[in-house]
Amino acid sequence: MTKEELDQLSINTIRTLSIDAVQQANSGHPGTPMALAPLVYTLWNRVMRFDPEDPIWPDRDRFVLSNGHASMLLWSVLHLTGTKAVDAEYERLGEPSVSLDDIRHFRQLDSKAPGHPEYHWVSGVETTTGPLGQGVATSVGMAIGQKWLADRYNRPGFEIFNYSIYAVCGDGCMMEGVASEAASLAGHLGLDSLCWIYDNNYITIEGNTRITFTEDIAARFLGYGWNVLRVGDANDIDRIQQSLEVFARTKGRPTFIILDSHIGYGSPNKQDTSAAHGEPLGEDEIRLVKKNYGWPEDAKFLVPKEVYAHFSEGIGTRGAQARGKWMELFGAYREKYPELATEIDQMQRRELPANWDRGLPLFAADPKGIAGREASGKVLNILAQNIPWFLGGSADLAPSNKTTLTYKGAGSFQADSPGGKNLHFGIREHAMAATVNGLSISKIRAFGATFFIFSDYARPAIRLSALMELPTIFIFTHDAMGDGEDGPTHQPVEQLISLRAIPGLVTIRPGDANEVVEAYRYIMQLRHEPAVLALSRQPLPTLDRAKYAAASGVAHGAYVLADAPGGNPELILIASGSEVSLAVEAYERLVKEGVRARVVSMPSWDIFEHQTPEYRNSVLPPNVKARVAIEQGSTFGWERYIGESGRVIGMHTFGASAPLKELQKKFGFEPDRVVSVAKEVLAR
Ligand SMILES: Cc1ncc(C[n+]2csc(CCOP(=O)(O)OP(=O)(O)O)c2C)c(N)n1
Ligand SMILES: [Mg+2]
């Protein structure tokens, strides 16, 4: 077989595997894999530095399939390259990541070929995609990560982190706002290790894009400051390769390749129509397509053995050599720069350096207290000095979020200062969240910050951080009505409960400065879970921990802060965040009046739910039915902890624009009210 014939055979194998898998599953997206098989073939077999034997080797090139519906492209190429599986402990398992059997069971339970690419489920998937726009936005974080890692760890003669990030995307990704936010940021930062390849096929689900999407996309990306290239024929693999070489040579800006393609390429009745997008071609059409490709019409899931060999000689050989060279280089690097090498090892395993929590503050009792965001700022500045690879930033609210790293040498991340640890996301909350996910994927510990209310603008990426099991950190300040005069547009009501509903996301709302410290102590040790911190704008009294229980109770999600004298409570006040001190005030009055009250500080439902039943029952004894929960947020969901006979003092409406004191009065967050509600509940 000639080289050209082998290329074509490999491309058609990707196409027909995709077609057969979708037909077998009776669901899926055949058209785009048929069109983009030549691109994916060229990228993987000719260009990418990726060793199928070790899909987590740190200096590998990254591939992101942002149009995740075309997942069969990825399953095909992971299978054909013989990419090996790794487990959650980063051990290589020796078995294939995606077997032919997985492909036969495309979209079926437990198959390693699910409907969309899933990080943490299939080795070789660099980020979860499917919600359009997320993949490309996350790739910007991966590119920032590459720049930061290179700046910190590369040394003359030791290019330890030198990889490229390729993201494939379609019209859907290009229409989504998050892609625009992210592209604008990437252009500003001049991320030249980043290459997006846009599948320009003029087709989305509702038909031709002339009904929705007619902008000049080349002009748009030129405007962002990207290098824009065009390949007029998605089947021209030499031109594709050439454009990727131009990308590799382009310095100082990211590259955008517009690839003109035909969805459902080779299908006589479906090519260039939306009918090729999201449904099986049908047995009759498949025969016609296979005939067109010169493929045996009745063959199913056919992989000619020459194709395995061809991938092995291409990416297999090139990847093994590249990784071998890197391992050698890293060995010498370890000799010369042992401390840096240790950092890289720890980071790769999501471990923390020794003494990472040294010098964390202990806040003295103080009735005036300190704002949650202020305490957070102090903690962040210590952690960022203790943990070299801990960094982050805000979406233009750093002065309000108190997230600026102010110590000497912290620096700002910019195109000409890629070692900076203060990231500036601009007013791009959604891209920020996707970007910090991309940094987490790059094994950097990263945080993103904004007002709690604007967590809504970041939510799709927060959800994905949980789905991907990434230890991303979201710092949200102005967590309740502390924003007073700004009014209901800026006062979160339903955000807490809606984030609590995301599986695997740890949401913490600390009640005073020492709970902030303990919240960070807990969060920093997470390896596979993201966390949201909801912090107050206004000062909160720092509780006297000699009198009340230690703040280390945060690690249990909820703990008995103050108990009835002699134990055996008849009433439980449960509160989080700014309402903890309010509960304590009410408690003191109730106790004086002879009520056997207990205060439970409950900064995190999620952590509490993971405690043993014994512990949970010790904090909230089932026989104590008189319970009052106090939280400046939606009352929704609190029934779970207060039961049939309890009451919630919370928000039933939006807030209002007024000074905080007046709002507290209007909405009932005052000691008098808590005391009277408590008595009502007790009297029931
Ligand atoms: C955020 C989001 N909205 C909607 C969808 C549903 N959806 C999946 S594919 C698709 C059309 C995408 O068109 P395009 O990116 O051009 O893909 P092509 O059909 O060309 O492969 C839509 C609307 C989605 N996956 N994510
Ligand atoms: Mg399209």
Side-chain angles (χ1 to χ4, degrees), residues 287-306:
R287 277 172 207 285
L288 298 175
V289 171
K290 287 185 177 165
K291 193 164 168 220
N292 259 347
Y293 294 161
W295 203 256
E297 288 168 45
D298 291 319
K300 290 250 186 296
F301 300 101
L302 173 67
V303 182
K305 63 178 184 315
E306 299 90 330

mmCIF file with all atom_site columns, all heavy atoms in Angstrom, residues 287-306:
data_model
loop_
_atom_site.group_PDB
_atom_site.id
_atom_site.type_symbol
_atom_site.label_atom_id
_atom_site.label_alt_id
_atom_site.label_comp_id
_atom_site.label_asym_id
_atom_site.label_entity_id
_atom_site.label_seq_id
_atom_site.pdbx_PDB_ins_code
_atom_site.Cartn_x
_atom_site.Cartn_y
_atom_site.Cartn_z
_atom_site.occupancy
_atom_site.B_iso_or_equiv
_atom_site.pdbx_formal_charge
_atom_site.auth_seq_id
_atom_site.auth_comp_id
_atom_site.auth_asym_id
_atom_site.auth_atom_id
_atom_site.pdbx_PDB_model_num
ATOM 1   N N   . ARG A 1 287 ? -24.627 1.755  3.475  1.00 0.00 ? 287 ARG A N   1
ATOM 2   C CA  . ARG A 1 287 ? -24.072 0.992  2.342  1.00 0.00 ? 287 ARG A CA  1
ATOM 3   C C   . ARG A 1 287 ? -23.562 1.929  1.253  1.00 0.00 ? 287 ARG A C   1
ATOM 4   O O   . ARG A 1 287 ? -22.470 1.747  0.706  1.00 0.00 ? 287 ARG A O   1
ATOM 5   C CB  . ARG A 1 287 ? -25.139 0.096  1.726  1.00 0.00 ? 287 ARG A CB  1
ATOM 6   C CG  . ARG A 1 287 ? -25.318 -1.202 2.447  1.00 0.00 ? 287 ARG A CG  1
ATOM 7   C CD  . ARG A 1 287 ? -26.540 -1.953 1.901  1.00 0.00 ? 287 ARG A CD  1
ATOM 8   N NE  . ARG A 1 287 ? -27.050 -2.800 2.961  1.00 0.00 ? 287 ARG A NE  1
ATOM 9   C CZ  . ARG A 1 287 ? -26.446 -3.931 3.319  1.00 0.00 ? 287 ARG A CZ  1
ATOM 10  N NH1 . ARG A 1 287 ? -25.400 -4.367 2.664  1.00 0.00 ? 287 ARG A NH1 1
ATOM 11  N NH2 . ARG A 1 287 ? -26.918 -4.625 4.323  1.00 0.00 ? 287 ARG A NH2 1
ATOM 12  N N   . LEU A 1 288 ? -24.362 2.940  0.957  1.00 0.00 ? 288 LEU A N   1
ATOM 13  C CA  . LEU A 1 288 ? -23.965 3.885  -0.094 1.00 0.00 ? 288 LEU A CA  1
ATOM 14  C C   . LEU A 1 288 ? -22.691 4.636  0.298  1.00 0.00 ? 288 LEU A C   1
ATOM 15  O O   . LEU A 1 288 ? -21.797 4.845  -0.521 1.00 0.00 ? 288 LEU A O   1
ATOM 16  C CB  . LEU A 1 288 ? -25.103 4.892  -0.360 1.00 0.00 ? 288 LEU A CB  1
ATOM 17  C CG  . LEU A 1 288 ? -26.416 4.296  -0.878 1.00 0.00 ? 288 LEU A CG  1
ATOM 18  C CD1 . LEU A 1 288 ? -27.497 5.374  -0.983 1.00 0.00 ? 288 LEU A CD1 1
ATOM 19  C CD2 . LEU A 1 288 ? -26.200 3.628  -2.243 1.00 0.00 ? 288 LEU A CD2 1
ATOM 20  N N   . VAL A 1 289 ? -22.633 5.014  1.561  1.00 0.00 ? 289 VAL A N   1
ATOM 21  C CA  . VAL A 1 289 ? -21.450 5.751  2.034  1.00 0.00 ? 289 VAL A CA  1
ATOM 22  C C   . VAL A 1 289 ? -20.207 4.863  1.951  1.00 0.00 ? 289 VAL A C   1
ATOM 23  O O   . VAL A 1 289 ? -19.161 5.280  1.444  1.00 0.00 ? 289 VAL A O   1
ATOM 24  C CB  . VAL A 1 289 ? -21.664 6.225  3.489  1.00 0.00 ? 289 VAL A CB  1
ATOM 25  C CG1 . VAL A 1 289 ? -20.371 6.795  4.054  1.00 0.00 ? 289 VAL A CG1 1
ATOM 26  C CG2 . VAL A 1 289 ? -22.768 7.266  3.570  1.00 0.00 ? 289 VAL A CG2 1
ATOM 27  N N   . LYS A 1 290 ? -20.344 3.644  2.426  1.00 0.00 ? 290 LYS A N   1
ATOM 28  C CA  . LYS A 1 290 ? -19.178 2.753  2.437  1.00 0.00 ? 290 LYS A CA  1
ATOM 29  C C   . LYS A 1 290 ? -18.711 2.476  1.012  1.00 0.00 ? 290 LYS A C   1
ATOM 30  O O   . LYS A 1 290 ? -17.507 2.389  0.732  1.00 0.00 ? 290 LYS A O   1
ATOM 31  C CB  . LYS A 1 290 ? -19.497 1.457  3.195  1.00 0.00 ? 290 LYS A CB  1
ATOM 32  C CG  . LYS A 1 290 ? -19.574 1.713  4.714  1.00 0.00 ? 290 LYS A CG  1
ATOM 33  C CD  . LYS A 1 290 ? -19.766 0.466  5.547  1.00 0.00 ? 290 LYS A CD  1
ATOM 34  C CE  . LYS A 1 290 ? -19.741 0.836  7.031  1.00 0.00 ? 290 LYS A CE  1
ATOM 35  N NZ  . LYS A 1 290 ? -20.258 -0.226 7.906  1.00 0.00 ? 290 LYS A NZ  1
ATOM 36  N N   . LYS A 1 291 ? -19.688 2.351  0.119  1.00 0.00 ? 291 LYS A N   1
ATOM 37  C CA  . LYS A 1 291 ? -19.340 2.146  -1.291 1.00 0.00 ? 291 LYS A CA  1
ATOM 38  C C   . LYS A 1 291 ? -18.519 3.343  -1.790 1.00 0.00 ? 291 LYS A C   1
ATOM 39  O O   . LYS A 1 291 ? -17.485 3.185  -2.443 1.00 0.00 ? 291 LYS A O   1
ATOM 40  C CB  . LYS A 1 291 ? -20.633 2.000  -2.106 1.00 0.00 ? 291 LYS A CB  1
ATOM 41  C CG  . LYS A 1 291 ? -20.410 1.489  -3.499 1.00 0.00 ? 291 LYS A CG  1
ATOM 42  C CD  . LYS A 1 291 ? -21.697 0.994  -4.115 1.00 0.00 ? 291 LYS A CD  1
ATOM 43  C CE  . LYS A 1 291 ? -21.456 0.786  -5.597 1.00 0.00 ? 291 LYS A CE  1
ATOM 44  N NZ  . LYS A 1 291 ? -22.602 1.223  -6.383 1.00 0.00 ? 291 LYS A NZ  1
ATOM 45  N N   . ASN A 1 292 ? -18.984 4.531  -1.440 1.00 0.00 ? 292 ASN A N   1
ATOM 46  C CA  . ASN A 1 292 ? -18.261 5.758  -1.799 1.00 0.00 ? 292 ASN A CA  1
ATOM 47  C C   . ASN A 1 292 ? -16.833 5.767  -1.282 1.00 0.00 ? 292 ASN A C   1
ATOM 48  O O   . ASN A 1 292 ? -15.927 6.261  -1.938 1.00 0.00 ? 292 ASN A O   1
ATOM 49  C CB  . ASN A 1 292 ? -18.966 6.975  -1.186 1.00 0.00 ? 292 ASN A CB  1
ATOM 50  C CG  . ASN A 1 292 ? -19.802 7.706  -2.209 1.00 0.00 ? 292 ASN A CG  1
ATOM 51  O OD1 . ASN A 1 292 ? -19.667 7.457  -3.403 1.00 0.00 ? 292 ASN A OD1 1
ATOM 52  N ND2 . ASN A 1 292 ? -20.666 8.589  -1.737 1.00 0.00 ? 292 ASN A ND2 1
ATOM 53  N N   . TYR A 1 293 ? -16.665 5.278  -0.059 1.00 0.00 ? 293 TYR A N   1
ATOM 54  C CA  . TYR A 1 293 ? -15.330 5.253  0.550  1.00 0.00 ? 293 TYR A CA  1
ATOM 55  C C   . TYR A 1 293 ? -14.478 4.100  0.015  1.00 0.00 ? 293 TYR A C   1
ATOM 56  O O   . TYR A 1 293 ? -13.320 3.964  0.414  1.00 0.00 ? 293 TYR A O   1
ATOM 57  C CB  . TYR A 1 293 ? -15.425 5.072  2.073  1.00 0.00 ? 293 TYR A CB  1
ATOM 58  C CG  . TYR A 1 293 ? -16.053 6.205  2.865  1.00 0.00 ? 293 TYR A CG  1
ATOM 59  C CD1 . TYR A 1 293 ? -16.523 5.962  4.155  1.00 0.00 ? 293 TYR A CD1 1
ATOM 60  C CD2 . TYR A 1 293 ? -16.155 7.500  2.361  1.00 0.00 ? 293 TYR A CD2 1
ATOM 61  C CE1 . TYR A 1 293 ? -17.088 6.978  4.923  1.00 0.00 ? 293 TYR A CE1 1
ATOM 62  C CE2 . TYR A 1 293 ? -16.731 8.516  3.117  1.00 0.00 ? 293 TYR A CE2 1
ATOM 63  C CZ  . TYR A 1 293 ? -17.201 8.251  4.389  1.00 0.00 ? 293 TYR A CZ  1
ATOM 64  O OH  . TYR A 1 293 ? -17.763 9.246  5.154  1.00 0.00 ? 293 TYR A OH  1
ATOM 65  N N   . GLY A 1 294 ? -15.079 3.238  -0.808 1.00 0.00 ? 294 GLY A N   1
ATOM 66  C CA  . GLY A 1 294 ? -14.356 2.054  -1.251 1.00 0.00 ? 294 GLY A CA  1
ATOM 67  C C   . GLY A 1 294 ? -14.194 1.054  -0.117 1.00 0.00 ? 294 GLY A C   1
ATOM 68  O O   . GLY A 1 294 ? -13.184 0.359  -0.007 1.00 0.00 ? 294 GLY A O   1
ATOM 69  N N   . TRP A 1 295 ? -15.170 1.010  0.735  1.00 0.00 ? 295 TRP A N   1
ATOM 70  C CA  . TRP A 1 295 ? -15.124 0.162  1.947  1.00 0.00 ? 295 TRP A CA  1
ATOM 71  C C   . TRP A 1 295 ? -16.053 -1.028 1.729  1.00 0.00 ? 295 TRP A C   1
ATOM 72  O O   . TRP A 1 295 ? -17.084 -0.885 1.059  1.00 0.00 ? 295 TRP A O   1
ATOM 73  C CB  . TRP A 1 295 ? -15.653 0.989  3.121  1.00 0.00 ? 295 TRP A CB  1
ATOM 74  C CG  . TRP A 1 295 ? -15.208 0.547  4.482  1.00 0.00 ? 295 TRP A CG  1
ATOM 75  C CD1 . TRP A 1 295 ? -15.934 -0.132 5.393  1.00 0.00 ? 295 TRP A CD1 1
ATOM 76  C CD2 . TRP A 1 295 ? -13.938 0.800  5.084  1.00 0.00 ? 295 TRP A CD2 1
ATOM 77  N NE1 . TRP A 1 295 ? -15.213 -0.339 6.534  1.00 0.00 ? 295 TRP A NE1 1
ATOM 78  C CE2 . TRP A 1 295 ? -13.970 0.223  6.371  1.00 0.00 ? 295 TRP A CE2 1
ATOM 79  C CE3 . TRP A 1 295 ? -12.757 1.429  4.656  1.00 0.00 ? 295 TRP A CE3 1
ATOM 80  C CZ2 . TRP A 1 295 ? -12.882 0.273  7.237  1.00 0.00 ? 295 TRP A CZ2 1
ATOM 81  C CZ3 . TRP A 1 295 ? -11.688 1.474  5.519  1.00 0.00 ? 295 TRP A CZ3 1
ATOM 82  C CH2 . TRP A 1 295 ? -11.738 0.904  6.798  1.00 0.00 ? 295 TRP A CH2 1
ATOM 83  N N   . PRO A 1 296 ? -15.753 -2.202 2.289  1.00 0.00 ? 296 PRO A N   1
ATOM 84  C CA  . PRO A 1 296 ? -16.690 -3.320 2.145  1.00 0.00 ? 296 PRO A CA  1
ATOM 85  C C   . PRO A 1 296 ? -18.061 -2.926 2.712  1.00 0.00 ? 296 PRO A C   1
ATOM 86  O O   . PRO A 1 296 ? -18.152 -2.519 3.872  1.00 0.00 ? 296 PRO A O   1
ATOM 87  C CB  . PRO A 1 296 ? -16.066 -4.436 2.987  1.00 0.00 ? 296 PRO A CB  1
ATOM 88  C CG  . PRO A 1 296 ? -14.673 -4.016 3.282  1.00 0.00 ? 296 PRO A CG  1
ATOM 89  C CD  . PRO A 1 296 ? -14.559 -2.544 3.068  1.00 0.00 ? 296 PRO A CD  1
ATOM 90  N N   . GLU A 1 297 ? -19.104 -3.040 1.896  1.00 0.00 ? 297 GLU A N   1
ATOM 91  C CA  . GLU A 1 297 ? -20.399 -2.460 2.265  1.00 0.00 ? 297 GLU A CA  1
ATOM 92  C C   . GLU A 1 297 ? -21.029 -3.133 3.480  1.00 0.00 ? 297 GLU A C   1
ATOM 93  O O   . GLU A 1 297 ? -21.797 -2.505 4.196  1.00 0.00 ? 297 GLU A O   1
ATOM 94  C CB  . GLU A 1 297 ? -21.369 -2.542 1.081  1.00 0.00 ? 297 GLU A CB  1
ATOM 95  C CG  . GLU A 1 297 ? -21.000 -1.554 -0.017 1.00 0.00 ? 297 GLU A CG  1
ATOM 96  C CD  . GLU A 1 297 ? -21.749 -1.809 -1.315 1.00 0.00 ? 297 GLU A CD  1
ATOM 97  O OE1 . GLU A 1 297 ? -22.974 -2.032 -1.257 1.00 0.00 ? 297 GLU A OE1 1
ATOM 98  O OE2 . GLU A 1 297 ? -21.091 -1.806 -2.379 1.00 0.00 ? 297 GLU A OE2 1
ATOM 99  N N   . ASP A 1 298 ? -20.722 -4.401 3.687  1.00 0.00 ? 298 ASP A N   1
ATOM 100 C CA  . ASP A 1 298 ? -21.374 -5.119 4.781  1.00 0.00 ? 298 ASP A CA  1
ATOM 101 C C   . ASP A 1 298 ? -20.516 -5.217 6.038  1.00 0.00 ? 298 ASP A C   1
ATOM 102 O O   . ASP A 1 298 ? -20.968 -5.713 7.062  1.00 0.00 ? 298 ASP A O   1
ATOM 103 C CB  . ASP A 1 298 ? -21.755 -6.532 4.335  1.00 0.00 ? 298 ASP A CB  1
ATOM 104 C CG  . ASP A 1 298 ? -22.878 -6.475 3.319  1.00 0.00 ? 298 ASP A CG  1
ATOM 105 O OD1 . ASP A 1 298 ? -23.800 -5.651 3.518  1.00 0.00 ? 298 ASP A OD1 1
ATOM 106 O OD2 . ASP A 1 298 ? -22.815 -7.215 2.317  1.00 0.00 ? 298 ASP A OD2 1
ATOM 107 N N   . ALA A 1 299 ? -19.280 -4.734 5.922  1.00 0.00 ? 299 ALA A N   1
ATOM 108 C CA  . ALA A 1 299 ? -18.392 -4.839 7.097  1.00 0.00 ? 299 ALA A CA  1
ATOM 109 C C   . ALA A 1 299 ? -18.870 -3.904 8.194  1.00 0.00 ? 299 ALA A C   1
ATOM 110 O O   . ALA A 1 299 ? -19.386 -2.830 7.929  1.00 0.00 ? 299 ALA A O   1
ATOM 111 C CB  . ALA A 1 299 ? -16.967 -4.477 6.699  1.00 0.00 ? 299 ALA A CB  1
ATOM 112 N N   . LYS A 1 300 ? -18.719 -4.380 9.453  1.00 0.00 ? 300 LYS A N   1
ATOM 113 C CA  . LYS A 1 300 ? -19.095 -3.535 10.601 1.00 0.00 ? 300 LYS A CA  1
ATOM 114 C C   . LYS A 1 300 ? -17.920 -3.497 11.574 1.00 0.00 ? 300 LYS A C   1
ATOM 115 O O   . LYS A 1 300 ? -17.315 -4.527 11.868 1.00 0.00 ? 300 LYS A O   1
ATOM 116 C CB  . LYS A 1 300 ? -20.299 -4.134 11.333 1.00 0.00 ? 300 LYS A CB  1
ATOM 117 C CG  . LYS A 1 300 ? -21.604 -4.058 10.571 1.00 0.00 ? 300 LYS A CG  1
ATOM 118 C CD  . LYS A 1 300 ? -22.524 -3.048 11.259 1.00 0.00 ? 300 LYS A CD  1
ATOM 119 C CE  . LYS A 1 300 ? -23.911 -2.982 10.681 1.00 0.00 ? 300 LYS A CE  1
ATOM 120 N NZ  . LYS A 1 300 ? -24.057 -2.552 9.333  1.00 0.00 ? 300 LYS A NZ  1
ATOM 121 N N   . PHE A 1 301 ? -17.633 -2.340 12.087 1.00 0.00 ? 301 PHE A N   1
ATOM 122 C CA  . PHE A 1 301 ? -16.544 -2.157 13.058 1.00 0.00 ? 301 PHE A CA  1
ATOM 123 C C   . PHE A 1 301 ? -15.238 -2.768 12.547 1.00 0.00 ? 301 PHE A C   1
ATOM 124 O O   . PHE A 1 301 ? -14.501 -3.403 13.287 1.00 0.00 ? 301 PHE A O   1
ATOM 125 C CB  . PHE A 1 301 ? -16.914 -2.767 14.419 1.00 0.00 ? 301 PHE A CB  1
ATOM 126 C CG  . PHE A 1 301 ? -18.144 -2.149 15.036 1.00 0.00 ? 301 PHE A CG  1
ATOM 127 C CD1 . PHE A 1 301 ? -19.383 -2.797 14.962 1.00 0.00 ? 301 PHE A CD1 1
ATOM 128 C CD2 . PHE A 1 301 ? -18.078 -0.917 15.667 1.00 0.00 ? 301 PHE A CD2 1
ATOM 129 C CE1 . PHE A 1 301 ? -20.521 -2.221 15.524 1.00 0.00 ? 301 PHE A CE1 1
ATOM 130 C CE2 . PHE A 1 301 ? -19.216 -0.336 16.226 1.00 0.00 ? 301 PHE A CE2 1
ATOM 131 C CZ  . PHE A 1 301 ? -20.437 -0.993 16.159 1.00 0.00 ? 301 PHE A CZ  1
ATOM 132 N N   . LEU A 1 302 ? -14.987 -2.545 11.268 1.00 0.00 ? 302 LEU A N   1
ATOM 133 C CA  . LEU A 1 302 ? -13.785 -3.127 10.649 1.00 0.00 ? 302 LEU A CA  1
ATOM 134 C C   . LEU A 1 302 ? -12.577 -2.216 10.873 1.00 0.00 ? 302 LEU A C   1
ATOM 135 O O   . LEU A 1 302 ? -12.623 -1.026 10.552 1.00 0.00 ? 302 LEU A O   1
ATOM 136 C CB  . LEU A 1 302 ? -14.036 -3.298 9.142  1.00 0.00 ? 302 LEU A CB  1
ATOM 137 C CG  . LEU A 1 302 ? -12.823 -3.736 8.323  1.00 0.00 ? 302 LEU A CG  1
ATOM 138 C CD1 . LEU A 1 302 ? -12.386 -5.152 8.688  1.00 0.00 ? 302 LEU A CD1 1
ATOM 139 C CD2 . LEU A 1 302 ? -13.111 -3.627 6.823  1.00 0.00 ? 302 LEU A CD2 1
ATOM 140 N N   . VAL A 1 303 ? -11.519 -2.814 11.443 1.00 0.00 ? 303 VAL A N   1
ATOM 141 C CA  . VAL A 1 303 ? -10.252 -2.087 11.536 1.00 0.00 ? 303 VAL A CA  1
ATOM 142 C C   . VAL A 1 303 ? -9.188  -2.917 10.821 1.00 0.00 ? 303 VAL A C   1
ATOM 143 O O   . VAL A 1 303 ? -8.736  -3.935 11.343 1.00 0.00 ? 303 VAL A O   1
ATOM 144 C CB  . VAL A 1 303 ? -9.823  -1.853 13.006 1.00 0.00 ? 303 VAL A CB  1
ATOM 145 C CG1 . VAL A 1 303 ? -8.527  -1.051 13.048 1.00 0.00 ? 303 VAL A CG1 1
ATOM 146 C CG2 . VAL A 1 303 ? -10.918 -1.152 13.789 1.00 0.00 ? 303 VAL A CG2 1
ATOM 147 N N   . PRO A 1 304 ? -8.790  -2.510 9.613  1.00 0.00 ? 304 PRO A N   1
ATOM 148 C CA  . PRO A 1 304 ? -7.733  -3.245 8.912  1.00 0.00 ? 304 PRO A CA  1
ATOM 149 C C   . PRO A 1 304 ? -6.455  -3.221 9.764  1.00 0.00 ? 304 PRO A C   1
ATOM 150 O O   . PRO A 1 304 ? -6.143  -2.191 10.359 1.00 0.00 ? 304 PRO A O   1
ATOM 151 C CB  . PRO A 1 304 ? -7.539  -2.447 7.618  1.00 0.00 ? 304 PRO A CB  1
ATOM 152 C CG  . PRO A 1 304 ? -8.788  -1.639 7.461  1.00 0.00 ? 304 PRO A CG  1
ATOM 153 C CD  . PRO A 1 304 ? -9.271  -1.361 8.836  1.00 0.00 ? 304 PRO A CD  1
ATOM 154 N N   . LYS A 1 305 ? -5.758  -4.353 9.793  1.00 0.00 ? 305 LYS A N   1
ATOM 155 C CA  . LYS A 1 305 ? -4.621  -4.401 10.726 1.00 0.00 ? 305 LYS A CA  1
ATOM 156 C C   . LYS A 1 305 ? -3.512  -3.430 10.327 1.00 0.00 ? 305 LYS A C   1
ATOM 157 O O   . LYS A 1 305 ? -2.749  -2.956 11.163 1.00 0.00 ? 305 LYS A O   1
ATOM 158 C CB  . LYS A 1 305 ? -4.104  -5.825 10.911 1.00 0.00 ? 305 LYS A CB  1
ATOM 159 C CG  . LYS A 1 305 ? -3.548  -6.512 9.686  1.00 0.00 ? 305 LYS A CG  1
ATOM 160 C CD  . LYS A 1 305 ? -3.048  -7.893 10.083 1.00 0.00 ? 305 LYS A CD  1
ATOM 161 C CE  . LYS A 1 305 ? -2.368  -8.625 8.925  1.00 0.00 ? 305 LYS A CE  1
ATOM 162 N NZ  . LYS A 1 305 ? -3.078  -8.563 7.624  1.00 0.00 ? 305 LYS A NZ  1
ATOM 163 N N   . GLU A 1 306 ? -3.474  -3.084 9.021  1.00 0.00 ? 306 GLU A N   1
ATOM 164 C CA  . GLU A 1 306 ? -2.485  -2.086 8.592  1.00 0.00 ? 306 GLU A CA  1
ATOM 165 C C   . GLU A 1 306 ? -2.697  -0.748 9.295  1.00 0.00 ? 306 GLU A C   1
ATOM 166 O O   . GLU A 1 306 ? -1.762  0.048  9.446  1.00 0.00 ? 306 GLU A O   1
ATOM 167 C CB  . GLU A 1 306 ? -2.582  -1.830 7.076  1.00 0.00 ? 306 GLU A CB  1
ATOM 168 C CG  . GLU A 1 306 ? -2.317  -3.029 6.197  1.00 0.00 ? 306 GLU A CG  1
ATOM 169 C CD  . GLU A 1 306 ? -3.587  -3.825 5.878  1.00 0.00 ? 306 GLU A CD  1
ATOM 170 O OE1 . GLU A 1 306 ? -4.528  -3.827 6.717  1.00 0.00 ? 306 GLU A OE1 1
ATOM 171 O OE2 . GLU A 1 306 ? -3.637  -4.441 4.803  1.00 0.00 ? 306 GLU A OE2 1
#
